[in-house]
Amino acid sequence: MTVFVGGAGELFQGDLDLGRRAAERLAAERLGENGSDVVVEELHYGAVAVAQRLAELEPSVFVLVGAIARGREPGAVVRRDVTPPVREPAEVQRLVQQAVTGYVDVDLIIDVAAAFGALPERTVCIEVEPATTEPSERLSDVAERALAEVVTLVRAEVAAPIEM
């Protein structure tokens, strides 16, 4: 059993870089029972490459972390179980074209990985509503606070037993 924890982030784009920051923090910890059954990576390299990495690892669980604007209160943290979306072939082609340019966010990763059949049955997304999305090397104060909550939620997901 492998748990893959991925932090999706847009490099140096304010709060949209939160997933990368979460992955950096979590990679420094020994997660899981023996530390070897959990893989933590930054996923800033594009949605198609993430789908390929999922296909390579074949994890039992995928925990995806990132910030995405959905109109919630800035700093809001939401955990959701992911149901793989079903897309028409033309929509999948459009998503893959978008992804090959290197664009990455939690929705695109889920869509592309599902289209390639690489999304594990147990996929969880932990997302944060960004307060700032302008170029910056720093997270906003609300995103910094949310980051601590995100890391705690990921630890809980990794520790949760796998239901078969």
Side-chain angles (χ1 to χ4, degrees):
M1 191 264 317
T2 300
V3 177
F4 183 38
V5 176
E10 294 183 38
L11 297 175
F12 309 113
Q13 294 298 304
D15 293 351
L16 296 178
D17 200 13
L18 183 134
R20 181 179 68 89
R21 300 287 182 95
E24 285 176 350
R25 285 193 188 180
L26 292 160
E29 300 181 15
R30 277 185 67 87
L31 298 173
E33 290 183 21
N34 61 18
S36 65
D37 57 347
V38 179
V39 176
V40 179
E41 292 183 8
E42 300 173 28
L43 305 179
H44 65 273
Y45 45 78
V48 171
V50 173
Q52 292 168 333
R53 184 69 171 136
L54 283 164
E56 174 188 340
L57 290 175
E58 296 182 334
S60 302
V61 180
F62 179 36
V63 181
L64 179 59
V65 177
I68 188 164
R70 299 202 192 277
R72 300 170 292 217
E73 183 171 335
V77 178
V78 175
R79 180 226 176 264
R80 64 184 171 97
D81 292 311
V82 173
T83 301
V86 178
R87 306 281 187 224
E88 294 295 321
E91 179 70 4
V92 170
Q93 183 177 11
R94 185 189 67 74
L95 291 166
V96 170
Q97 286 174 338
Q98 187 178 13
V100 297
T101 65
Y103 184 73
V104 64
D105 72 18
V106 295
D107 288 345
L108 190 58
I109 288 171
I110 290 167
D111 282 338
V112 171
F116 286 126
L119 207 58
E121 187 174 325
R122 181 170 170 215
T123 298
V124 173
C125 186
I126 300 171
E127 54 188 53
V128 174
E129 184 71 26
T132 63
T133 59
E134 299 83 32
S136 175
E137 293 183 18
R138 296 191 46 209
L139 297 177
S140 68
D141 291 342
V142 295
E144 281 290 349
R145 287 189 295 275
L147 179 56
E149 183 179 347
V150 165
V151 168
T152 299
L153 287 171
V154 171
R155 286 184 196 122
E157 289 297 331
V158 169
I162 305 299
E163 295 177 15
M164 296 292 176

